[in-house]
Amino acid sequence: GGIKLNYIYQWEKAETEDFSKIYELMTEAFPPSEIRNEEGQRNLLSRSAYQLYTVKQDNEIYGLLGVWEFDTFIFIEHFAVDASLRGNGIGGMLLNDFLNHMEKTVFLEVEEPGTDLARRRIGFYERAGFCLNDFDYIQPDLQQGQSSLPLKNMTYPMKLSKEDFERMKQQIFETVYQIKA
């Protein structure tokens, strides 16, 4: 299985026993409003639409990619590389390697470009071939007590029509956030 990379790092299906290490990288890479609690995140592993991939070396987890597979598109929920690998192009390479294996549209959420970090993140995905869509999008809360987030969304390899956006958003809300859109 996994996604092969002609490099020292490559994607493979996550091992259940690595989950706490994976969750550690998740909490380091994402604010609490963007991840579930550990049990909620672990429970996703039993959902058929959800796939979790990691990049491992010497039993250390250096990257994670959590995706939901739908009929016509893939939703990237979490993508992160370890802080030690940031800024040297490996993240972009790993992302491109994943995208090169995809025959479907890829959809992801990004923060609004209000901060430097958010703008840099949007730039990172644009360099990988993603397009910023103009549709507004409020992410429902993933954990009790977290408020919903106004986000932007990006798609690869091209922008979405309003119809496609609404359809994908509805599927994401029903499957990932488990609310009727």
Side-chain angles (χ1 to χ4, degrees), residues 9-177:
Y9 300 104
Q10 61 188 33
W11 291 114
E12 45 195 67
K13 274 255 160 89
E15 310 279 344
T16 319
E17 62 269 22
D18 285 334
F19 187 77
S20 35
K21 282 189 197 159
I22 296 167
Y23 192 73
E24 221 171 280
L25 175 55
M26 230 176 231
T27 53
E28 191 260 297
F30 296 96
S33 57
E34 291 180 29
I35 50 178
R36 295 166 188 79
N37 63 28
E38 186 163 353
E39 186 191 8
Q41 206 63 51
R42 185 186 291 268
N43 288 343
L44 297 184
L45 300 175
S46 61
R47 303 272 302 277
S48 57
Y50 183 77
Q51 304 290 336
L52 185 60
Y53 298 97
T54 56
V55 172
K56 273 172 84 169
Q57 212 184 357
D58 305 328
N59 223 16
E60 290 299 315
I61 306 285
Y62 284 101
L64 69 91
L65 183 64
V67 302
W68 294 81
E69 188 146 357
F70 294 94
D71 293 346
T72 61
F73 72 103
I74 305 274
F75 172 60
I76 296 184
E77 185 173 48
H78 294 114
F79 168 66
V81 294
D82 186 76
S84 65
L85 300 186
R86 286 180 209 147
N88 58 11
I90 292 177
M93 219 167 52
L94 286 168
L95 181 62
N96 285 329
D97 187 69
F98 176 74
L99 295 171
N100 290 340
H101 290 80
M102 290 301 114
E103 267 125 49
K104 299 176 179 180
T105 296
V106 182
F107 184 111
L108 56 82
E109 303 165 339
V110 286
E111 287 158 48
E112 296 194 318
T115 65
D116 210 38
L117 183 63
R119 281 190 291 274
R120 282 211 304 273
R121 196 167 287 148
I122 290 170
F124 169 80
Y125 287 115
E126 284 176 337
R127 287 191 295 281
F130 280 83
C131 305
L132 192 59
N133 291 299
D134 305 319
F135 314 112
D136 284 331
Y137 183 96
I138 306 279
Q139 181 201 57
D141 57 317
L142 282 176
Q143 293 199 51
Q144 283 322 114
Q146 294 289 351
S147 52
S148 44
L149 287 176
L151 295 172
K152 293 291 196 198
N153 49 86
M154 300 181 79
T155 43
Y156 173 93
M158 58 191 71
K159 284 190 166 196
L160 294 182
S161 67
K162 185 77 173 141
E163 296 70 37
D164 284 341
F165 167 73
E166 291 298 345
R167 182 177 48 79
M168 289 181 191
K169 176 182 159 177
Q170 185 174 353
Q171 288 182 277
I172 290 167
F173 276 28
E174 289 179 6
T175 303
V176 178
Y177 299 114

